[in-house]
Amino acid sequence: MIGFISGGARSGKSAYAEKRAKELYQHSKLNNPLASLVYLATAISIDEEMVKRISTHQVDRGEAWVTIEEPLNIAGVIRRRAAGDIILLDCLTLWLSNAMFQHDLGLTQLESILLNCIQEAKHRQIDLLIVSNDLHEGVPLRDTYVVSYIRTLQKLHLTLVSLSDEAVQIVAGIPIYWKGVKR
């Protein structure tokens, strides 16, 4: 199962994604006691505030999670996981920033990486939940780098939603089910 979860900053999307991942994990453990619950973190600890936020999130998640910090090679992480694992990728927005601005990857390469991640997860029978931010719902921007980033993110969102089994948007902590989830 491939799931896409989006929302604005501090909307509750990560909390929702963690809850959904735990549900999938409980179900997976029934069939595969060796299954792991994996938190694939794409954030880079660039300052003391980020280090503190990462540490707080790790403590809040608890010991059931295997945390893997990987700012770029998300496909490699998926390739190394086993059938039945549940992977929560948090978040696509930071991964895209790392890929575009530190490694100069373009849209074609980025789409190829995401397609590879999804194919690999399906092939390996891994449930993959991808969290991302809803950006640019307001005033037009003038900075060409920011506009390029937002347009690329929007295109990746369209691709992910088309390939996902579930698509959920979180608004003020309330999930809006757009695709595949009936609750």
Side-chain angles (χ1 to χ4, degrees):
M1 193 281 300
I2 307 299
F4 177 70
I5 298 124
S6 70
R10 307 288 185 264
S11 64
K13 63 189 172 296
S14 291
Y16 172 87
E18 289 173 17
K19 181 181 176 199
R20 182 71 178 118
K22 286 178 187 176
E23 291 170 0
L24 293 168
Y25 176 64
Q26 293 304 321
H27 182 350
S28 184
K29 288 287 280 184
L30 296 174
N31 300 321
N32 182 355
L34 299 178
S36 295
L37 181 59
V38 179
Y39 191 94
L40 175 49
T42 60
I44 297 174
S45 307
I46 57 172
D47 57 26
E48 194 168 316
E49 179 186 349
M50 187 60 106
V51 169
K52 190 174 183 178
R53 282 183 64 195
I54 290 169
S55 176
T56 299
H57 284 294
Q58 287 176 340
V59 169
D60 290 348
R61 279 194 303 273
E63 293 186 18
W65 294 86
V66 174
T67 300
I68 300 173
E69 295 179 4
E70 178 50 62
L72 188 64
N73 187 14
I74 56 178
V77 172
I78 294 169
R79 266 192 299 279
R80 292 187 297 273
R81 301 310 309 174
D85 283 359
I86 311 302
I87 299 175
L88 170 56
L89 189 157
D90 196 354
C91 79
L92 182 74
T93 320
L94 290 174
W95 173 78
L96 176 60
S97 177
N98 300 335
M100 281 184 71
F101 300 124
Q102 293 181 9
H103 297 278
D104 201 30
L105 299 181
L107 179 61
T108 303
Q109 294 166 299
L110 297 164
E111 285 181 320
S112 177
I113 291 167
L114 284 179
L115 180 59
N116 183 272
C117 287
I118 290 169
Q119 289 172 338
E120 197 67 36
K122 287 181 177 183
H123 173 73
R124 294 182 170 281
Q125 299 174 336
I126 291 170
D127 290 328
L128 174 63
L129 299 175
I130 301 171
V131 175
S132 191
N133 286 289
D134 292 335
L135 299 178
H136 191 52
E137 295 181 355
V139 180
L141 302 167
R142 297 179 193 262
D143 185 289
T144 56
Y145 289 111
V146 174
V147 170
S148 173
Y149 173 81
I150 290 172
R151 286 186 179 152
T152 302
L153 182 64
Q154 290 168 335
K155 288 177 182 174
L156 294 179
H157 283 183
L158 290 171
T159 299
L160 282 171
V161 169
S162 72
L163 298 172
S164 293
D165 302 299
E166 297 179 0
V168 181
Q169 181 183 30
I170 309 300
V171 178
I174 299 171
I176 301 168
Y177 303 104
W178 291 107
K179 182 179 179 184
V181 182
K182 305 292 184 220
R183 302 235 173 179

